[in-house]
Amino acid sequence: MQNLSGKSIAIVATNGFEQSELEVPLKTLRDAGATVHVVSLQAGEIKGWDKKDWGRAVSVDKTVDAVSASDYDAIVLPGGQINPDLLRVETKVLDLIKAFWAQKKVVAAVCHAPWLLVETGIVKGRKVTSYHSIKTDVVNAGGLWEDSEVVSDQGLVTSRKPDDLPAFCNKIAEEILEGLHVKRAA
């Protein structure tokens, strides 16, 4: 993993995030030197989903209302079935994701989190991957779906499942270090 000292990353999630899809990027990106905040709808803790049952709680560092895309270099969106489904109806979350995209910053989503990219319209015309069960949703929204471990398209980083998290985290770091993705349209 490349050195991310001086970089800031927001991981946006709520209850029902897939445990490893929040915890692995959180640890990996912090270990690389980045400042990483868990951002959620409310202060306190959010509870993960660990494969087939409720998992561990994770402390929330900041609420969505208290952050701005200008505070960070990237946004990471963990999956799980519950988490992105709850977040995709939250206007303030969708607006935050769109702000990262408009500012040409890294937007990274794993597993079911590309549902949020569908909801924001970001997926349209972009190469992406996701958990296989939402492929049709991604394609119907205009995404160019690939069955690949990690797909990157001008700062949009997507991954399929927890097994792909090491490659996902490495690609996030690479994209952050490339800087703003000025060639893409907002």
Side-chain angles (χ1 to χ4, degrees), residues 1-11 24-38 61 71-76 169 172-174 176-177:
M1 171 70 61
Q2 300 177 58
N3 186 334
L4 294 175
S5 294
K7 303 298 181 182
S8 295
I9 301 162
I11 298 179
V24 170
L26 179 64
K27 180 180 182 339
T28 303
L29 297 168
R30 279 184 176 163
D31 286 352
T35 298
V36 186
H37 294 142
V38 175
D61 297 305
D71 299 334
Y72 298 96
D73 298 290
I75 186 170
V76 176
C169 293
I172 292 167
E174 180 183 314
I176 289 170
L177 293 172

Side-chain angles (χ1 to χ4, degrees), residues 4-75:
L4 294 175
S5 294
K7 303 298 181 182
S8 295
I9 301 162
I11 298 179
V12 178
T14 193
N15 291 308
F17 62 87
E18 182 62 43
Q19 201 78 44
S20 64
E21 294 172 13
L22 186 148
E23 289 181 344
V24 170
L26 179 64
K27 180 180 182 339
T28 303
L29 297 168
R30 279 184 176 163
D31 286 352
T35 298
V36 186
H37 294 142
V38 175
V39 178
S40 193
L41 300 168
Q42 297 176 357
E45 293 182 333
I46 53 176
K47 194 162 189 175
W49 185 263
D50 198 2
K51 297 178 187 86
K52 296 184 180 191
D53 203 353
W54 289 103
R56 296 172 298 284
V58 171
S59 294
V60 172
D61 297 305
K62 296 185 180 242
T63 63
V64 173
D65 293 334
V67 300
S68 166
S70 60
D71 299 334
Y72 298 96
D73 298 290
I75 186 170

Side-chain angles (χ1 to χ4, degrees), residues 156-173:
L156 181 63
V157 180
T158 53
S159 193
R160 299 175 303 193
K161 59 187 187 262
D163 293 347
D164 303 332
L165 287 170
F168 179 65
C169 293
N170 282 327
K171 183 51 88 170
I172 292 167

Side-chain angles (χ1 to χ4, degrees), residues 109-126:
V110 61
C111 194
H112 287 77
W115 265 338
L116 295 163
L117 306 177
V118 166
E119 207 62 45
T120 59
I122 292 171
V123 76
K124 187 174 183 179
R126 297 278 164 207

Side-chain angles (χ1 to χ4, degrees), residues 76-115:
V76 176
L77 306 167
Q81 292 176 328
I82 300 166
N83 171 63
D85 197 42
L86 293 174
L87 292 179
R88 68 182 176 161
V89 297
E90 295 290 338
T91 303
K92 57 190 168 183
V93 171
L94 300 176
D95 288 346
L96 180 64
I97 296 166
K98 287 189 251 185
F100 272 89
W101 188 249
Q103 291 178 27
K104 302 183 182 349
K105 295 182 175 181
V106 175
V107 174
V110 61
C111 194
H112 287 77
W115 265 338

